[in-house]
Amino acid sequence: WAMSRANDRVQQWLFDPTTLAPTYPASMIDSPFRFNAFYPPDNIPEIDEATWKLEVSGLVADKAPWTLAKLRALPQESQITRHICIEGWSQIGQWSGVPLRTFLERSGADLTAKYVGFKCADRYYGSLDMPSALHPQTILALDFAGQPLAPEYGYPLRVRVPTKLGFKSPKHVAAIFVTNDYPGGYWEDQGYNWFSGI
């Protein structure tokens, strides 16, 4: 644990919020894109778009929940980036959605807070340091390969952070909160390095 925390501090010190993760041409997209989670595919949560709402809490001015329609009304960006799994494999995919910075600004989040946390419908949870959350490539992904997210890729909403290892991109996001209290994460609370990025 002490070594992991030391690694976190070094990685945060080295992090440059203007350095971008590599992007790729459409010809390099991997298809099919691999499913991965801490459970088998038959345990993917069933989510009803008609009733789904994204909860917002913590150090934000506007705590009103967000619908998918409201999220889709925000400016969208697309990226073709590599998902790097801590298990040693990687794949390139196309993700589109709302820059997390835009969402936080529209919600009146305190951008000087330390952390942004995520709670998910599949019992997963995770968090980012604020500079990583504000990175220009960090998005709230709504689409994969030009189509709304399929359940296996995180429907209806996932975080996509190409500057981090894959487990820092939680799927089936149901709530976002901004805090100064360290929120941990599903794998980090079991010993994984928390920062886990460049």
Side-chain angles (χ1 to χ4, degrees):
W1 287 101
M3 181 61 71
S4 183
R5 299 291 79 84
N7 286 341
D8 284 338
R9 288 191 294 272
V10 170
Q11 290 174 30
Q12 285 183 281
W13 181 76
L14 292 173
F15 178 73
D16 181 347
T18 63
T19 298
L20 302 180
T23 58
Y24 302 89
S27 61
M28 293 184 67
I29 292 173
D30 289 300
S31 183
F33 196 85
R34 182 173 176 171
F35 167 80
N36 90 303
F38 64 102
Y39 48 80
D42 56 358
N43 285 353
I44 294 172
E46 295 181 9
I47 298 171
D48 182 0
E49 179 179 341
T51 59
W52 179 90
K53 289 185 179 179
L54 177 66
E55 297 178 9
V56 183
S57 63
L59 302 175
V60 295
D62 185 356
K63 294 181 172 67
W66 287 68
T67 62
L68 282 175
K70 188 176 174 183
L71 286 168
R72 288 191 177 278
L74 292 177
Q76 309 283 304
E77 292 189 4
S78 184
Q79 59 182 245
I80 300 176
T81 51
R82 184 180 297 276
H83 177 94
I84 302 173
C85 183
I86 199 168
E87 296 172 344
W89 59 268
S90 69
Q91 287 195 298
I92 295 170
Q94 182 180 22
W95 310 87
S96 303
V98 181
L100 183 52
R101 172 187 281 273
T102 300
F103 174 82
L104 293 171
E105 291 173 343
R106 296 292 178 94
S107 298
D110 179 357
L111 302 184
T112 68
K114 292 182 179 179
Y115 307 105
V116 179
F118 311 96
K119 299 177 183 177
C120 306
D122 59 1
R123 306 181 318 281
Y124 196 81
Y125 60 100
S127 60
L128 297 170
D129 62 295
M130 184 62 78
S132 294
L134 299 178
H135 188 275
Q137 290 176 307
T138 302
I139 64 172
L140 296 176
L142 295 160
D143 298 321
F144 179 75
Q147 300 293 325
L149 284 173
E152 60 266 33
Y153 302 139
Y155 175 86
L157 182 70
R158 78 173 294 166
V159 183
R160 176 70 188 128
V161 193
T163 59
K164 305 276 189 188
L165 291 173
F167 73 88
K168 300 297 288 186
S169 293
K171 302 186 288 187
H172 314 290
V173 176
I176 294 178
F177 60 96
V178 177
T179 182
N180 283 317
D181 299 321
Y182 174 69
Y186 180 88
W187 289 115
E188 295 91 327
D189 291 348
Q190 300 179 56
Y192 281 34
N193 180 244
W194 177 75
F195 193 82
S196 292
I198 57 173

